[in-house]
Amino acid sequence: MTTVRTRFAPSPTGYLHVGGARTALFCWLYARKHGGQFVLRIEDTDLERSTPESVNAILEGMTWLGLEYDEGPFYQTARFERYDAVIEDLMARGLAYRCDCSRERIDALREEQMARREKPRYDGHCRERGVAADAPHVIRFRTPRDGSIVVHDLVQGRVAFPNSELDDLIIRRSDGSPTYNLTVVVDDMDMDITHVIRGDDHLNNTPRQMHILEALGHTPPRYAHVPMILGDDGSRLSKRHGAVSVVEYRDMGYLPEALLNYLVRLGWSHGDQEIFSLDEMIALFDIDAVNKSASRFDHEKLMWLNQHYIKDSDPARVAHLLSPHMGRLDIDPAEGPDLVEVVEAQQERARTLAEMAEISAFIYQDFDDYDEGSAKKHLRPVALGALERMRGVLAELTPWSTGALHDAVAGVSEELDLKMGKVAQPLRVAVTGRAASPGIDVTLYLVGRERTLARVDRAIAHIRRRQEAQ
């Protein structure tokens, strides 16, 4: 039985787009499900637009998502000699020819064809002209003119292309560089790719590539063209819809497993199941279950999934991923409680790691201002007695544990004949600057005795200043 081999072949002209990440995921899952290999290929023949920074961004995104490749990365710029050899072979066998048509002639031809409402395509003017090798020229593949070619697509089904609608495509530019449709064919052939899974915007390239493969005596791989991802307005997903880079989602505080889970459901489903572990994805995924229609990117759905994974993940793993987000707030987690304890306190409260870092900053840093609404409601003269009494109790409390802190707050509430919220909420705002935080006992424990007492003193002074100003 032939070993399944898939490939992800991005062009390094920018970041790893979520659409590309979904394609990579589908390729990875198909290879893993069938015990095959997943190959990473960098299609960097566009020398003007390809950059090392883009290559690094792609590799960084793949690593963060955990999509390990079995072979590669292979770079097309390292294979120019191989492409030249293939082109020369096609020339020698009369399957390719030189063309010296000027840009002006090609443009005029296109205008004439469009005026006649014909599909613009090269007319084969140089097919039999025998253009000299020393004249400026491109090289075109001699596409068969009769009959048709059929793509038996694993997603789109049977798609037939009349050869009369396919022109003689350029396979080598006038500067000597090979074109995409030639390089991708040679690479897929040399790398024994059995399944090409890619966006449906490449479907029209497929008959051209199949013709070249057949000219080279190679059986084409199986093709699967997956539908594009749309924004919420129905247009193709782009920056105007929000973040589209994989690394952007990492920096916004999404977990890689949440993004993978979301991407696998864009165009594929397994009943009504929404949550998939990687093992479940591998076991259940198959390319023939991918829908033909485009999917819309729903940021709220992704946020929901991310919150699920934050709540259900091992706190130690979340703490590891949270650490750089704390660093972006100039917080050194070593200068405070164990970050795992912070995660355990905040897991139910945060939708992203960036949000978790923000709502946990008070644990490590003093804050400049109180939330205005929270202070107006809870740091009032009526709360002064409770805060002063709590300050005295907390200063003497031993041990500084969640159990002892809970009992202390409950004891002061009972002593002053107040509902617990009348004591806990002013204390919470005093210590955190806002009215929402984990349980008051956990909050005080994480902030620590020294910071808690200093912040209660500050809140008492704040209330007294307000009294004097009235």
Side-chain angles (χ1 to χ4, degrees), residues 74-132:
F74 298 110
Y75 295 86
Q76 288 188 328
T77 47
R79 291 173 48 79
F80 273 26
E81 288 186 7
R82 170 61 175 151
Y83 305 139
D84 285 341
V86 170
I87 291 170
E88 293 306 320
D89 172 66
L90 291 171
M91 288 283 291
R93 293 191 287 128
L95 298 174
Y97 62 91
R98 300 183 191 93
C99 169
D100 64 358
C101 289
S102 66
R103 169 54 58 189
E104 290 75 18
R105 182 185 185 278
I106 298 298
D107 289 344
L109 176 65
R110 289 176 60 87
E111 289 181 12
E112 292 171 9
Q113 290 170 331
M114 292 174 70
R116 296 193 298 266
R117 295 185 179 180
E118 297 175 0
K119 180 180 178 181
R121 57 187 177 275
Y122 181 64
D123 60 357
H125 176 71
C126 293
R127 263 192 170 216
E128 311 301 335
R129 288 185 59 233
V131 174

Side-chain angles (χ1 to χ4, degrees), residues 170-431:
I170 296 172
I171 57 175
R172 181 192 279 165
R173 302 180 185 92
S174 58
D175 64 2
S177 62
T179 60
Y180 164 78
N181 279 306
L182 184 282
T183 59
V184 70
V185 162
V186 176
D187 290 344
D188 287 344
M189 178 177 68
D190 289 355
M191 296 174 190
D192 296 320
I193 301 303
T194 63
H195 294 77
V196 171
I197 302 169
R198 58 189 179 186
D200 61 6
D201 54 331
H202 285 286
L203 181 58
N204 287 334
N205 289 324
T206 302
R208 296 172 168 86
Q209 293 169 11
M210 290 175 66
H211 276 308
I212 298 174
L213 282 165
E214 290 171 0
L216 296 173
H218 188 81
T219 301
R222 298 298 308 275
Y223 292 96
H225 290 90
V226 300
M228 68 175 62
I229 301 175
L230 306 178
D232 52 13
D233 60 357
S235 63
R236 186 164 187 168
L237 187 67
S238 66
K239 283 186 176 181
R240 64 191 177 85
H241 297 108
V244 292
S245 161
V246 165
V247 174
E248 277 185 280
Y249 281 99
R250 179 198 66 187
D251 294 344
M252 290 164 60
Y254 287 83
L255 273 60
E257 50 266 45
L259 186 56
L260 288 173
N261 192 152
Y262 183 71
L263 291 177
V264 80
R265 288 284 285 107
L266 281 178
W268 174 83
S269 62
H270 179 73
D272 295 327
Q273 185 172 342
E274 295 286 353
I275 308 298
F276 295 87
S277 67
L278 269 182
D279 287 342
E280 287 178 313
M281 290 185 208
I282 293 169
L284 299 172
F285 178 82
D286 222 330
I287 199 68
D288 57 8
V290 173
N291 298 327
K292 291 184 183 180
S293 56
S295 302
R296 297 199 182 199
F297 199 97
D298 185 340
H299 287 87
E300 286 300 315
K301 182 68 171 291
L302 173 58
M303 185 80 76
W304 174 81
L305 272 171
N306 200 57
Q307 186 170 26
H308 164 82
Y309 277 99
I310 287 176
K311 287 193 297 185
D312 282 26
S313 295
D314 177 9
R317 168 170 164 72
V318 177
H320 172 73
L321 297 173
L322 175 64
S323 185
H325 293 276
M326 303 299 284
R328 291 190 185 101
L329 300 179
D330 295 324
I331 293 171
D332 182 352
E335 298 176 357
D338 189 329
L339 203 53
V340 174
E341 293 182 310
V342 175
V343 169
E344 290 172 341
Q346 300 282 29
Q347 269 182 296
E348 298 284 337
R349 309 177 61 82
R351 298 177 299 169
T352 69
L353 296 176
E355 183 181 346
M356 184 179 289
E358 180 187 347
I359 64 175
S360 302
F362 75 88
I363 297 170
Y364 298 89
Q365 291 177 332
D366 290 332
F367 47 88
D368 294 329
D369 300 301
Y370 299 108
D371 173 72
E372 185 176 347
S374 300
K376 187 174 182 180
K377 182 176 181 180
H378 298 292
L379 297 186
R380 298 183 297 153
V382 69
L384 192 56
L387 283 176
E388 289 175 332
R389 181 65 186 126
M390 278 304 319
R391 204 275 182 209
V393 171
L394 294 174
E396 303 297 328
L397 187 66
T398 302
W400 191 266
S401 64
T402 54
L405 288 163
H406 179 273
D407 292 344
V409 176
V412 169
S413 301
E414 185 176 352
E415 177 186 331
L416 299 180
D417 195 23
L418 294 172
K419 291 183 178 179
M420 196 162 174
K422 295 294 184 181
V423 177
Q425 278 302 90
L427 184 56
R428 189 189 311 277
V429 176
V431 173

